[in-house]
Amino acid sequence: MILGIGTDLANIERIQGTLDRFGDRFRNRVFTDVEQHKANRRRDVAGTYAKRWAAKEACSKALGTGLRMGIAWKDMAVSNLPTGQPIMAVTGWAKERLDDMTPPGHEAIIHVTLTDDHPWAQAFVVIEARPLVPQAETG
């Protein structure tokens, strides 16, 4: 079952301007070390940050809160599987919120997709509750 859906559209040029103006202060407030390392290795640094910004906004919307109620930017982190597929991990208050909205007997799965077409970066997040498979009894 679907627990939440969120989307966000970020302007890459706006993110570039924020990076130019606030630099590390902005990066360290919003992005984890892993996210910063990934972005700083890319040719399109601002585009990579913009996609992750959009993913955090989309995730907060899928959690049903937006960026309020104690959720912090770094409570939501985008990384990539070896295949390149983006994944979202949540910690802190975002994890508490996710746990609260997940029905008993289910696990929460966060699906995220990112795209960009200069000057726009976009993210979609879908939070799914998947029934847990009962453990086979041994005996």
Side-chain angles (χ1 to χ4, degrees), residues 4-81:
I5 300 172
T7 185
D8 192 67
L9 185 65
N11 185 288
I12 296 169
E13 293 169 359
R14 181 175 152 250
I15 296 297
Q16 181 64 64
T18 303
L19 288 165
D20 292 344
R21 184 169 179 199
F22 297 105
D24 286 342
R25 194 169 109 200
F26 170 65
R27 278 187 286 273
N28 293 331
R29 179 173 174 252
V30 175
F31 302 101
T32 66
D33 290 342
V34 170
E35 290 171 317
Q36 290 183 48
H37 182 70
K38 174 81 170 184
N40 293 331
R41 286 190 340 238
R42 304 296 294 269
R43 186 168 23 123
D44 183 9
V45 173
T48 302
Y49 278 122
K51 285 186 281 191
R52 278 146 180 75
W53 171 279
K56 292 168 185 271
E57 287 274 7
C59 184
S60 71
K61 293 170 185 174
L63 289 168
T65 64
L67 286 162
R68 57 182 176 88
M69 297 175 58
I71 198 166
W73 287 105
K74 286 185 172 182
D75 285 350
M76 301 164 288
V78 178
S79 60
N80 296 84
L81 295 175

Side-chain angles (χ1 to χ4, degrees), residues 70-72 74-76 89-99:
I71 198 166
K74 286 185 172 182
D75 285 350
M76 301 164 288
V90 293
T91 58
W93 191 90
K95 174 75 168 116
E96 290 177 28
R97 171 69 179 148
L98 181 64
D99 291 345

